[in-house]
Amino acid sequence: MLKVNEINVNYGNIRALKGVSLDVNEGEIVTLIGANGAGKSTLLKTLSGLLKPKEGTIEYLGKSIAGKPAQTIVKAGISHVPEGRRVFANMTVEENLELGAYLRNDSAGIRQDFAKVYELFPRLEERKKQLSGTLSGGEQQMLAMGRALMARPKLLLLDEPSMGLAPLLVQTIFRIIEEINRDGTTILLVEQNAHMALSIANRAYVVETGKIVISGTAEELQASEEVKMAYLGGH
């Protein structure tokens, strides 16, 4: 579904990604793990059109999307849930979700997707008239994910969905990620919580200083001594 080949991305004079290649097959959950500042968020921003690669190719469903505007990429079927949630604080939950569907005009389908999001996240339905800025961190994360789903993506890019959440909520968010995947959405997940990420992923890539240094199935990475020492607390 997604094929990234040898992309380089610069922030000013700093090379943030150095020759990164990876692929994501339809129906998979693929996770990127690595320390803060390794380049994981930069990669997602490049895939969703917020940054342009200096070199390299990005193909989605066989078509090049490298450097295309973000709205074109959303229209093609890729939605991005950014790190830090970024909900529109002075708009209600419902208005935030409506914005997720702004490129669509199939009102029956949009109504269906509202129902689907409320089924996944009952808390959002309870709070649909509430201003998003007054929600807890966990509720804002649910809203950011729900808003991305309103675009009916084929591929969902999730950046640090568990960041700053209580352990119980982390469990809930990961259960919902699995459910979204079972419903047919392919997922590329960036996550600091390597344990949780590897427990739901099919495959994984380890990113260090802008390069992919290890890749394999989630089981292979869970069993790798190197990954255990660096990202799984050495056990």
Side-chain angles (χ1 to χ4, degrees):
M1 182 180 244
L2 180 74
K3 201 166 185 45
V4 176
N5 192 31
E6 290 289 327
I7 62 167
N8 292 323
V9 177
N10 288 6
Y11 272 131
N13 299 327
I14 298 164
R15 177 140 297 184
L17 294 179
K18 307 161 190 161
V20 167
S21 300
L22 61 89
D23 48 54
V24 178
N25 302 310
E26 195 164 342
E28 284 190 308
I29 296 178
V30 174
T31 186
L32 302 170
I33 59 178
N36 259 336
K40 306 182 303 296
S41 296
T42 301
L43 178 56
L44 291 195
K45 285 178 185 162
T46 307
L47 297 177
S48 65
L50 299 174
L51 295 172
K52 287 185 168 47
K54 214 164 166 54
E55 284 102 18
T57 59
I58 304 170
E59 280 186 13
Y60 167 69
L61 298 175
K63 291 191 174 68
S64 168
I65 57 164
K68 289 253 166 48
Q71 63 270 29
T72 307
I73 291 175
V74 173
K75 216 168 191 157
I78 298 178
S79 284
H80 182 179
V81 181
E83 187 183 352
R85 316 190 247 281
R86 311 282 171 88
V87 298
F88 296 99
N90 55 353
M91 296 172 84
T92 65
V93 165
E94 202 164 40
E95 288 165 340
N96 267 271
L97 292 174
E98 273 168 10
L99 271 179
Y102 80 104
L103 288 175
R104 295 172 56 183
N105 46 24
D106 55 323
S107 46
I110 291 171
R111 270 199 308 278
Q112 255 175 351
D113 286 351
F114 258 109
K116 180 83 197 113
V117 166
Y118 287 148
E119 192 185 315
L120 277 172
F121 304 105
R123 194 88 58 89
L124 294 183
E125 187 166 26
E126 290 163 22
R127 308 219 186 305
K128 61 184 176 189
K129 298 295 184 203
Q130 201 168 312
L131 289 183
S132 306
T134 64
L135 299 177
S136 71
E139 290 162 349
Q140 288 190 11
Q141 183 60 53
M142 292 172 187
L143 179 55
M145 287 166 69
R147 183 178 61 192
L149 290 174
M150 289 301 294
R152 206 172 267 189
K154 299 185 187 78
L155 174 62
L156 186 60
L157 310 175
L158 284 173
D159 197 352
E160 301 286 7
S162 81
M163 190 188 263
L165 301 186
L168 205 63
L169 259 177
V170 173
Q171 300 279 348
T172 305
I173 292 288
F174 273 85
R175 198 187 66 243
I176 292 165
I177 292 170
E178 286 185 287
E179 205 171 318
I180 291 167
N181 178 247
R182 271 197 302 276
D183 281 346
T185 306
T186 305
I187 292 173
L188 181 57
L189 167 69
V190 159
E191 182 52 67
Q192 285 271 297
N193 186 334
H195 269 294
M196 287 299 285
L198 291 173
S199 74
I200 67 165
N202 303 92
R203 291 186 306 111
Y205 293 90
V206 176
V207 187
E208 276 175 17
T209 58
K211 293 197 277 278
I212 285 172
V213 291
I214 307 173
S215 65
T217 65
E219 288 78 19
E220 285 166 351
L221 266 72
Q222 276 168 320
S224 145
E225 286 308 318
E226 205 176 329
V227 172
K228 275 189 210 170
M229 291 306 292
Y231 303 107
L232 302 175
H235 47 259

